[in-house]
Amino acid sequence: MDWSDVRIFLAVARTGSLGAAARALRLSHPTIGRRVRALEEATGQTLFQRTADGFILTEEGNAILALAEQMEESALAMERRLAGQEQNLQGSLRISSADWFGAYVLPPILADYTRAYPNVDIEVLTGTRLFSLAHREADIAFRIVPFNNADVVQRKLVHLDYGVYVALGAADPIYRDGAGFRLITHDTSTGQFPDIDWLMEAFPNAQPLMRSNNRNVQGHMSKQGIGIAVLPQVVGDQIIGLRRLELPEKPPGRDIWMGYHRDLKHLQRLRAFITTVTDHISRMQA
């Protein structure tokens, strides 16, 4: 087996279909199918059972899965190590963050960075999915929780305050009551959100009406007069049509953590980006 065959084997094993594997590897569906058949012919083993629900590893396929994953880790480590030795400010840089951080915090940082380093190709990946630094799905990530991988170099970048927002023309809800108002809350399937718990305690008689996993969506729904939202102030203060309530207590804020794989610590375009980020954050806190 060569590495290209291993990549395809792992992609099909993880996704369970040729189509999903093709999309993940940016190859065509027929190419994936042809390579899987060729791999099975070369090894003399049936590695996948074809079922109505997709491709399932056979016993023979399961027997080599761990070895294939070891080969993948070695190949990725080699790629990261070589990338970390690059000393030029060109190439690609993948940045992962939450939607709101990508929309409201990163733009001025990226504007300065791209002006200074126009040959670096930036890709910003946003959403609730945690892109893997080890697999180089992202080169640097910003999260509201610390990284749990020992190979990640991380730092607590900044503490962001949160606020409570309503539409400009809305009346003030009564703190510790909230009767007659509705709440816009967060999808908690990906974890707990202290600010949302605080919001429901601050306005116990308000009706929880709508949930979203996107802070930008929450803010714009509140702007339409749908309900009360709790948002990072860097988001809420930038949405025209919202106003922040002055309350006896503030909702809990969140720490933002920045992390990258240790093998990339010498990657010059990454180090330049980190410098740009810390300069902006210093000005935010000044």
Side-chain angles (χ1 to χ4, degrees):
M1 273 192 214
D2 61 29
W3 168 229
S4 61
D5 289 332
V6 172
R7 288 178 70 231
I8 289 172
F9 168 76
L10 287 172
V12 175
R14 287 165 176 164
T15 63
S17 77
L18 299 181
R23 289 189 294 274
L25 297 179
R26 298 180 182 178
L27 297 172
S28 70
H29 189 291
T31 297
I32 295 291
R34 184 171 62 252
R35 295 285 293 276
V36 168
R37 288 192 299 273
L39 178 60
E40 290 182 324
E41 289 172 4
T43 59
Q45 303 289 342
T46 300
L47 303 176
F48 295 99
Q49 179 182 350
R50 282 73 167 169
T51 73
D53 295 325
F55 279 54
I56 299 173
L57 284 172
T58 62
E59 288 187 13
E60 293 80 7
N62 266 311
I64 65 167
L65 180 61
L67 296 173
E69 289 173 337
Q70 290 175 20
M71 189 172 178
E72 176 188 46
E73 178 52 37
S74 296
L76 290 169
M78 186 183 300
E79 180 183 327
R80 291 193 305 266
R81 192 65 54 86
L82 291 173
Q85 299 303 315
E86 292 180 12
Q87 292 301 311
N88 52 41
L89 285 169
Q90 61 183 10
S92 65
L93 188 67
R94 298 187 194 95
I95 304 163
S96 168
S97 76
D99 294 294
W100 62 268
F101 195 88
Y104 293 94
V105 179
L106 286 180
I109 296 172
L110 293 175
D112 277 1
Y113 183 79
T114 53
R115 279 192 292 266
Y117 310 107
N119 294 324
V120 179
D121 179 26
I122 301 292
E123 184 176 3
V124 180
L125 309 166
T126 63
T128 56
R129 180 188 164 198
L130 300 180
F131 289 89
S132 171
L133 297 174
H135 288 76
R136 289 211 72 192
E137 292 180 335
D139 298 312
I140 186 168
F142 299 91
R143 297 179 183 172
I144 59 173
V145 293
F147 297 80
N148 57 12
N149 191 318
D151 290 330
V152 172
V153 179
Q154 64 178 306
R155 71 172 76 166
K156 186 168 71 173
L157 185 64
V158 65
H159 180 84
L160 293 181
D161 290 331
Y162 280 43
V164 179
Y165 293 85
V166 295
L168 271 178
D172 283 2
I174 298 175
Y175 184 61
R176 294 299 181 188
D177 182 2
F181 284 81
R182 294 168 294 188
L183 300 180
I184 299 170
T185 62
H186 205 289
D187 172 23
T188 57
S189 62
T190 57
Q192 292 301 118
F193 294 85
D195 54 288
I196 297 298
D197 293 339
W198 180 94
L199 180 68
M200 299 182 73
E201 292 175 4
F203 301 102
N205 295 321
Q207 176 189 359
L209 176 72
M210 181 180 295
R211 290 190 304 274
S212 171
N213 64 353
N214 186 303
R215 297 287 186 174
N216 196 31
V217 170
Q218 293 170 21
H220 282 275
M221 292 301 99
S222 182
K223 169 185 172 179
Q224 296 300 319
I226 292 175
I228 308 168
V230 58
L231 302 167
Q233 289 184 15
V234 71
V235 176
D237 289 356
Q238 292 188 66
I239 297 179
I240 298 172
L242 280 182
R243 66 183 181 91
R244 181 161 25 113
L245 297 176
E246 296 295 332
L247 298 173
E249 297 180 48
K250 293 197 325 183
R254 298 299 290 262
D255 293 327
I256 302 297
W257 293 80
M258 177 176 68
Y260 57 92
H261 198 280
R262 65 181 181 184
D263 287 345
L264 298 184
K265 64 183 178 182
H266 298 301
L267 184 61
Q268 197 170 5
R269 60 182 179 270
L270 175 60
R271 294 179 66 84
F273 178 70
I274 292 170
T275 298
T276 306
V277 170
T278 53
D279 286 347
H280 266 265
I281 295 301
S282 296
R283 293 200 294 272
M284 280 176 57
Q285 295 176 311

